[in-house]
Amino acid sequence: MVDYHAANQSYQYGPSSGSNGAGGGGSMGDYMAQEDDWDRDLLLDPAWEKQQRKTFTAWCNSHLRKAGTQIENIDEDFRDGLKLMLLLEVISGERLPKPERGKMRVHKINNVNKALDFIASKGVKLVSIGAEEIVDGNAKMTLGMIWTIILRFAIQDISVEETSAKEGLLLWCQRKTAPYKNVNVQNFHISWKDGLAFNALIHRHRPELIEYDKLRKDDPVTNLNNAFEVAEKYLDIPKMLDAEDIVGTLRPDEKAIMTYVSCFYHAFSGAQKAETAANRICKVLAVNQENEHLMEDYERLASDLLEWIRRTIPWLEDRVPQKTIQEMQQKLEDFRDYRRVHKPPKVQEKCQLEINFNTLQTKLRLSNRPAFMPSEGKMVSDINNGWQHLEQAEKGYEEWLLNEIRRLERLDHLAEKFRQKASIHEAWTDGKEAMLKHRDYETATLSDIKALIRKHEAFESDLAAHQDRVEQIAAIAQELNELDYYDSHNVNTRCQKICDQWDALGSLTHSRREALEKTEKQLETIDQLHLEYAKRAAPFNNWMESAMEDLQDMFIVHTIEEIEGLISAHDQFKSTLPDADREREAILAIHKEAQRIAESNHIKLSGSNPYTTVTPQIINSKWEKVQQLVPKRDHALLEEQSKQQSNEHLRRQFASQANIVGPWIQTKMEEIGRISIEMNGTLEDQLSHLKQYERSIVDYKPNLDLLEQQHQLIQEALIFDNKHTNYTMEHIRVGWEQLLTTIARTINEVENQILTRDAKGISQEQMQEFRASFNHFDKKQTGSMDSDDFRALLISTGYSLGDAEFNRIMSVVDPNHSGLVTFQAFIDFMSRETTDTDTADQVIASFKVLAGDKNFITAEELRRELPPDQAEYCIARMAPYQGPDAVPGALDYKSFSTALYGESDL
């Protein structure tokens, strides 16, 4: 029980030596027992009483103002017990029994007793302090009661290096002021008279507030006033004493000084906790802000790359053919420009995007954040699918361009051949219809009739000889139609005209023959010599026309073998010229013989040979034309042979370089695969080795550029195949891009392993052990393993796995459900299992410290405790607090902290 009625006993207060309060109450009781005699003799010293009144009043008001009130007179304002109970509620954070509101003495005594009972419940044994003395305004008892409260709630819980209460507070002051000259704190009275100790405490914690080097030990009033004013203005510590009260006293009141100093302890102790809490929040927010920037960069880069792919694919899928080779060659040049200029930067962007994505995921795992899921349609797999579609379209576009150029080249050749043969045929048929329609046989003599019959037979022979040319013209026109020649309409019109004319000639020839045969019975004489001439001259003339046509015929070849075949055929043709010349001389001899017989027999010939229109002059003229065309044909064939030899040189030159570069790329790809599996040494050594290896690959780029130059020469020469190598430029390009991407990915994996090791504190030995274990179970040596091998790996490291636990682990290491676990995912899992990171609960606890133990925090408090950018970051994202104790502007820091770790939406 608390003794409220010991009015006649000597004045004593404070916990007895037997009390067992928190924070080292036993030592505080010893301290009070030793100073009881000192208290009895000196407490009534007016100077000390004045200091205690000021200090205790200011201390009480520093707490009562939190409840919106204060006291003026310490021994009067606590008499009704109401503000005393309110003071205890504020400093303890607990609710006391409901006070009595009556004005009578008994009501006041009951309220004071409730306060004294609460003090006693905190382990404090009150001696000689009764409710009646407090109600009566006993200054001695009231000051003693307030000192007991200060000891219990402001000093008792102070603990420094296993000392507490007064000794702990004294040790804290000694440690904090040790570096300062002219300061030697040995007690709580005369050590503080010169004011330097107060200034040293402030400068130690807030050096920007005090210019300590300008203070003088011989000016205590200035020193004390400076410390008290700074504490009141910047540290929220009310002024509890006047400098003159301390300086003017031989020995300042120890209780007043201890009370004042305890306020400094709590102010700086709370600031240190707030700083720690703020640092933790800043660290968490900095990580979150950096991750958000990386996510935004990924989204932007992915959107740009996908948009470029979306724009490029329709261009590559455009298959609208052009009418001329020049237009198609311009398309091919545009495609080469796309390959050389536009695509390479996008290849680099795609590689960098994958590297950034992997780095972001690693950072999120290391900071215990949920994995980053890009927006719909912007996953790495979506970008790879789009890229694959792009390359398929690219390959198809190139094949279409080359095939279209071949088609147009073939069309131009056929069209020219059609025009040449049609012109020759039209020249031959000119006047033939009129000749066949001529009724000259009606008035002719017998000899004339026979001549007409022979002439007509010769014409029929000539007509039959031209049948093959007509069929060739029709076949060429058909092929032009099948190849979709742009001027097919005019070709078809001309071909149809030729065919119709040919049919008419056939019909007219048949009609004329019937007419001649009808009158042939009346004719007898025929000149056999002229007839023989006509029969031999006609086929020879046709042979010469065919020879001239062949010698002027255009040709197109793509290989040396084809041109050599044409040269061989031409040589074979030239070998027949002597026989042809003998046949020409024999035909001319027939004509000369007819002339000689007519002259010798004085026969007057009626002009030309009646059986043929092929005169000796025509034969000689055409023979001279053939003789002129042969050397021209020789020259054209030799020029084409030189061109094909040059093309063959280009093929061999490209093949020689391609057969070196291609196997080199394949070898490097295999070496990178082995390096990524058989890495030895530290991660830094591995990274250095890989970067050196990457530089050696980049240094090989001039060989690829040389190959590109050779390939351009081949395409400009319109060379479409190369039997000397199996490598195409497309294969080389794809292999080179894969090689650069693979080495970049391997370097990024090692960098992420270094990042994981440094962030999680994994030793080099642990990392090597992880690598050895992973390689042991990676039976296929591919750098990844299926779920069965991964289960065996976990069991070998000591895990006891059920199906549910294993499925949970697989969802962590294989979030995309690909069925494979990479080495990076494995070390991320092992590091997460063996290390600790910040949690949502820790962040919530830190915010609670900044909020002063409230369930909410205000924007003002965030701006006061956090850097400006992070404070505004929190304010913008915190939802309004909706709890029952909400005030205007209250923010919900709990849901915000939970959202930082992916447990709800931010």
Side-chain angles (χ1 to χ4, degrees):
M1 288 292 293
V2 177
D3 184 0
Y4 298 120
H5 305 286
N8 297 324
Q9 296 180 6
S10 298
Y11 168 61
Q12 299 178 34
Y13 59 90
S16 70
S17 61
S19 68
N20 192 25
S27 62
M28 187 176 70
D30 295 341
Y31 154 66
M32 290 307 303
Q34 295 168 6
E35 297 193 354
D36 277 348
D37 295 339
W38 178 78
D39 287 338
R40 295 190 190 99
D41 297 336
L42 299 179
L43 182 60
L44 297 179
D45 184 313
W48 283 23
E49 182 177 350
K50 179 182 179 183
Q51 292 176 20
Q52 288 190 13
R53 280 180 178 275
K54 285 185 177 180
T55 304
F56 292 178
T57 298
W59 184 86
C60 292
N61 282 335
S62 70
H63 293 286
L64 287 172
R65 68 182 179 181
K66 298 177 183 177
T69 186
Q70 63 179 6
I71 61 173
E72 299 293 338
N73 191 326
I74 196 168
D75 48 355
E76 289 294 330
D77 292 348
F78 285 139
R79 291 178 64 185
D80 60 2
L82 295 177
K83 290 188 177 180
L84 179 60
M85 295 179 70
L86 183 59
L87 175 64
L88 291 172
E89 286 187 346
V90 172
I91 63 178
S92 69
E94 301 180 20
R95 298 289 295 179
L96 273 67
K98 186 176 181 181
E100 298 180 12
R101 297 295 180 179
K103 301 293 185 179
M104 299 177 64
R105 178 180 174 81
V106 67
H107 295 139
K108 297 178 181 180
I109 291 174
N110 288 340
N111 287 339
V112 174
N113 274 330
K114 290 177 181 179
L116 295 175
D117 288 343
F118 179 78
I119 296 172
S121 71
K122 296 304 178 181
V124 179
K125 185 175 182 181
L126 297 170
V127 180
S128 302
I129 300 177
E132 291 80 357
E133 286 81 358
I134 305 301
V135 173
D136 291 340
N138 188 317
K140 174 183 177 182
M141 292 301 178
T142 301
L143 291 173
M145 177 189 66
I146 296 302
W147 174 241
T148 302
I149 293 172
I150 292 173
L151 278 176
R152 173 61 185 84
F153 292 101
I155 298 176
Q156 181 177 334
D157 290 338
I158 295 175
S159 177
V160 179
E161 295 186 4
E162 300 182 357
T163 64
S164 58
K166 177 183 178 182
E167 289 78 6
L169 184 59
L170 183 61
L171 180 59
W172 178 77
C173 294
Q174 291 171 342
R175 293 289 174 84
K176 295 299 181 181
T177 60
Y180 294 87
K181 64 181 180 179
N182 298 326
V183 178
N184 183 16
V185 177
Q186 297 298 325
N187 49 54
F188 287 107
H189 36 80
I190 61 175
S191 295
W192 302 82
K193 283 190 67 175
D194 59 9
L196 292 177
F198 284 107
N199 283 280
L201 283 178
I202 297 174
H203 186 269
R204 181 64 181 269
H205 294 90
R206 296 287 299 277
E208 75 277 7
L209 300 180
I210 297 289
E211 293 184 283
Y212 186 83
D213 293 337
K214 295 183 178 181
L215 301 176
R216 303 199 323 270
K217 186 174 180 64
D218 59 358
D219 191 4
V221 174
T222 300
N223 297 341
L224 289 167
N225 283 331
N226 181 65
F228 296 163
E229 290 170 2
V230 169
E232 184 174 30
K233 183 176 181 181
Y234 296 103
L235 304 179
D236 200 24
I237 299 174
K239 187 174 183 181
M240 297 183 178
L241 289 172
D242 293 326
E244 292 76 12
D245 294 338
I246 298 176
V247 175
T249 305
L250 180 63
R251 175 174 169 171
D253 180 62
E254 185 177 45
K255 297 179 179 62
I257 298 298
M258 284 181 64
T259 301
Y260 213 155
V261 173
S262 70
C263 292
F264 282 85
Y265 172 83
H266 289 294
F268 292 133
S269 176
Q272 184 173 0
K273 291 179 181 178
E275 181 180 356
T276 302
N279 288 339
R280 177 181 289 275
I281 292 173
C282 289
K283 173 186 173 184
V284 172
L285 294 179
V287 170
N288 212 61
Q289 288 175 307
E290 181 184 1
N291 290 341
E292 286 186 358
H293 289 322
L294 289 174
M295 293 176 191
E296 292 170 359
D297 289 343
Y298 174 87
E299 291 284 337
R300 177 178 55 77
L301 290 174
S303 298
D304 292 345
L305 185 57
L306 288 171
E307 176 61 19
W308 179 81
I309 293 174
R310 185 191 66 77
R311 293 196 313 268
T312 305
I313 287 178
W315 176 68
L316 294 173
E317 291 178 343
D318 180 16
R319 299 292 192 272
V320 178
Q322 301 299 316
K323 294 181 178 180
T324 65
I325 291 181
Q326 291 74 18
E327 291 174 322
M328 288 305 298
Q329 286 177 335
Q330 182 58 48
K331 276 184 171 287
L332 182 61
E333 184 60 32
D334 293 342
F335 180 73
R336 290 176 185 151
D337 188 65
Y338 154 81
R339 276 271 182 78
R340 292 192 302 264
V341 178
H342 300 291
K343 185 182 177 184
K346 298 302 178 182
V347 173
Q348 182 62 29
E349 287 180 15
K350 177 177 177 291
C351 178
Q352 190 61 44
L353 190 67
E354 293 179 0
I355 291 173
N356 291 350
F357 180 83
N358 293 334
T359 301
L360 172 59
Q361 297 293 44
T362 299
K363 289 186 175 181
L364 289 173
R365 287 193 295 270
L366 294 178
S367 58
N368 203 23
R369 303 300 196 277
F372 168 56
M373 291 298 294
S375 302
E376 184 176 357
K378 296 180 183 177
M379 298 286 291
V380 173
S381 58
D382 296 323
I383 294 172
N384 288 334
N385 290 337
W387 192 264
Q388 184 178 5
H389 187 189
L390 174 75
E391 292 187 332
Q392 290 174 350
E394 181 179 314
K395 181 179 179 182
Y397 187 69
E398 184 177 28
E399 292 176 353
W400 175 78
L401 284 175
L402 297 178
N403 290 334
E404 193 65 14
I405 289 175
R406 293 191 191 101
R407 185 183 71 83
L408 289 175
E409 188 178 42
R410 172 70 174 161
L411 282 174
D412 284 353
H413 171 68
L414 288 175
E416 183 61 28
K417 192 171 185 178
F418 173 84
R419 286 189 289 270
Q420 188 180 72
K421 288 184 176 292
S423 297
I424 293 173
H425 176 76
E426 288 167 347
W428 178 82
T429 58
D430 184 40
K432 294 297 189 292
E433 286 189 20
M435 181 197 72
L436 293 173
K437 291 178 180 179
H438 191 213
R439 303 175 69 84
D440 52 345
Y441 54 84
E442 293 180 351
T443 58
T445 62
L446 182 60
S447 60
D448 293 333
I449 291 299
K450 288 189 176 292
L452 289 175
I453 290 175
R454 301 297 182 268
K455 181 179 179 181
H456 188 72
E457 289 176 349
F459 173 77
E460 286 182 327
S461 176
D462 198 11
L463 186 68
H466 280 78
Q467 176 68 32
D468 183 61
R469 181 181 290 115
V470 174
E471 290 176 355
Q472 289 179 6
I473 292 172
I476 293 172
Q478 179 64 27
E479 189 171 358
L480 288 171
N481 277 279
E482 291 173 355
L483 293 177
D484 196 24
Y485 182 55
Y486 76 96
D487 199 24
S488 295
H489 174 72
N490 291 332
V491 169
N492 292 336
T493 300
R494 191 173 185 182
C495 180
Q496 186 63 43
K497 182 179 179 181
I498 290 172
C499 291
D500 292 342
Q501 186 184 40
W502 184 256
D503 292 338
L505 287 176
S507 177
L508 290 172
T509 299
H510 180 71
S511 298
R512 183 173 177 81
R513 182 172 183 80
E514 288 181 343
L516 290 173
E517 289 177 348
K518 185 177 181 180
T519 59
E520 185 182 16
K521 297 176 182 179
Q522 302 171 4
L523 303 176
E524 297 176 352
T525 307
I526 186 171
D527 190 345
Q528 292 295 330
L529 195 59
H530 280 183
L531 181 60
E532 183 180 359
Y533 172 88
K535 287 184 177 182
R536 295 183 68 174
F540 183 75
N541 180 65
N542 187 56
W543 174 85
M544 286 192 296
E545 289 181 348
S546 297
M548 288 189 293
E549 181 180 347
D550 290 339
L551 290 171
Q552 297 178 82
D553 189 18
M554 295 179 62
F555 57 87
I556 179 170
V557 295
H558 296 99
T559 65
I560 191 69
E561 290 79 9
E562 291 176 356
I563 189 61
E564 288 176 352
L566 290 179
I567 292 174
S568 176
H570 183 62
D571 291 339
Q572 193 173 20
F573 166 76
K574 290 192 294 183
S575 66
T576 64
L577 290 179
D579 292 337
D581 190 41
R582 286 190 289 273
E583 176 66 10
R584 179 183 66 85
E585 291 175 351
I587 293 171
L588 294 178
I590 294 173
H591 177 74
K592 290 178 181 179
E593 181 64 15
Q595 291 280 351
R596 187 189 64 78
I597 293 174
E599 290 175 357
S600 62
N601 294 289
H602 305 286
I603 298 173
K604 185 177 180 180
L605 297 178
S606 59
S608 62
N609 191 325
Y611 303 116
T612 182
T613 60
V614 180
T615 64
Q617 292 78 12
I618 293 176
I619 291 176
N620 287 331
S621 175
K622 290 183 178 180
W623 179 256
E624 290 176 0
K625 182 67 173 177
V626 169
Q627 294 294 93
Q628 294 171 359
L629 290 175
V630 168
K632 291 182 180 179
R633 185 71 167 184
D634 286 336
H635 180 70
L637 290 173
L638 289 177
E639 280 188 344
E640 184 63 28
Q641 184 182 37
S642 175
K643 175 183 174 183
Q644 291 303 322
Q645 287 173 346
S646 175
N647 289 351
E648 183 68 7
H649 173 71
L650 290 177
R651 288 190 184 94
R652 293 182 181 275
Q653 181 178 263
F654 174 87
S656 175
Q657 184 71 6
N659 289 335
I660 295 174
V661 174
W664 183 87
I665 291 176
Q666 292 175 349
T667 301
K668 294 300 178 182
M669 288 291 290
E670 294 170 358
E671 290 177 1
I672 293 173
R674 290 196 299 272
I675 290 173
S676 63
I677 295 174
E678 302 172 359
M679 288 184 176
N680 296 316
T682 66
L683 291 177
E684 285 75 11
D685 293 340
Q686 296 172 16
L687 181 61
S688 175
H689 177 63
L690 285 171
K691 288 186 175 180
Q692 183 178 359
Y693 199 83
E694 183 184 41
R695 287 193 295 271
S696 70
I697 291 174
V698 173
D699 292 341
Y700 198 76
K701 182 67 164 54
N703 294 283
L704 201 72
D705 296 337
L706 176 60
L707 199 61
E708 286 282 7
Q709 295 171 4
Q710 295 172 350
H711 179 254
Q712 182 174 352
L713 293 176
I714 283 179
Q715 288 199 323
E716 290 173 352
L718 298 179
I719 300 173
F720 303 110
D721 51 34
N722 193 341
K723 66 180 180 180
H724 303 295
T725 181
N726 293 325
Y727 293 99
T728 67
M729 197 63 230
E730 179 62 24
H731 294 153
I732 299 294
R733 290 193 194 102
V734 172
W736 179 255
E737 293 171 359
Q738 291 177 346
L739 180 61
L740 293 179
T741 301
T742 301
I743 188 64
R745 284 176 178 166
T746 305
I747 290 174
N748 179 246
E749 288 177 0
V750 176
E751 289 173 339
N752 286 340
Q753 292 172 22
I754 293 174
L755 185 61
T756 301
R757 181 200 66 191
D758 294 341
K760 299 298 185 176
I762 300 174
S763 67
Q764 183 64 32
E765 290 74 16
Q766 286 178 307
M767 188 64 72
Q768 290 176 347
E769 182 179 354
F770 290 160
R771 169 59 75 179
S773 299
F774 188 91
N775 287 346
H776 176 74
F777 288 92
D778 182 14
K779 297 182 174 58
K780 298 179 181 178
Q781 298 297 301
T782 61
S784 59
M785 61 180 67
D786 57 27
S787 58
D788 292 337
D789 291 340
F790 183 62
R791 181 191 287 269
L793 173 58
L794 291 178
I795 293 173
S796 73
T797 58
Y799 277 83
S800 179
L801 297 174
D803 290 340
E805 176 63 9
F806 180 71
N807 291 335
R808 181 192 70 80
I809 294 175
M810 282 299 295
S811 69
V812 173
V813 299
D814 183 23
N816 293 326
H817 305 292
S818 64
L820 297 175
V821 179
T822 64
F823 177 68
Q824 181 64 42
F826 170 64
I827 63 171
D828 286 346
F829 169 76
M830 294 302 293
S831 63
R832 185 160 54 247
E833 292 293 308
T834 56
T835 57
D836 190 19
T837 57
D838 293 326
T839 65
D841 290 339
Q842 290 175 323
V843 176
I844 291 173
S846 298
F847 273 117
K848 191 168 186 179
V849 171
L850 297 188
D853 286 338
K854 299 192 297 295
N855 291 325
F856 60 84
I857 194 168
T858 66
E860 180 181 356
E861 289 169 331
L862 287 171
R863 291 189 177 103
R864 185 177 68 238
E865 301 295 346
L866 298 180
D869 62 331
Q870 295 184 338
E872 297 305 324
Y873 178 84
C874 293
I875 292 169
R877 286 163 173 76
M878 284 188 181
Y881 178 68
Q882 304 294 338
D885 52 342
V887 299
L891 300 175
D892 188 354
Y893 61 78
K894 291 184 179 179
S895 61
F896 172 76
S897 301
T898 303
L900 285 177
Y901 288 85
E903 299 176 18
S904 66
D905 293 332
L906 184 57

